[in-house]
Amino acid sequence: EPEDVESNIVMARIVAQPNGKALLDRLATHGVRAMLYTDDVLRFVVHRHVGDADIDRAIEAMRLSLA
């Protein structure tokens, strides 16, 4: 079951503008790095030094970058 899987990888399909590459560039201006997995999928990876505040900052950066 998907809810039982633990992973440090988040894949996000981009269905709105900006496209994947432009969104990567916008996220980078907020200090958030990701990888363009396909033209419309971003890959985010967290590690043990990434805490709740960092995740909240990434979520806010995504919100601002999609605005």
Side-chain angles (χ1 to χ4, degrees):
E1 295 300 315
E3 62 272 5
D4 295 333
V5 176
E6 291 187 28
S7 177
N8 66 328
I9 299 172
V10 175
M11 307 295 278
R13 182 172 310 281
I14 308 306
V15 296
Q17 291 298 322
N19 65 19
K21 174 66 174 113
L23 183 55
L24 278 182
D25 293 341
R26 288 184 185 188
L27 287 169
T29 67
H30 297 285
V32 176
R33 296 186 301 173
M35 182 183 108
L36 192 59
Y37 189 73
T38 67
D39 289 343
D40 66 343
V41 175
L42 297 185
R43 180 179 184 259
F44 299 86
V45 178
V46 298
H47 57 80
R48 65 187 178 103
H49 297 295
V50 174
D52 291 345
D54 300 306
I55 299 298
D56 290 342
R57 186 172 56 83
I59 291 168
E60 178 65 8
M62 179 67 84
R63 188 186 67 74
L64 292 170
S65 296
L66 290 171

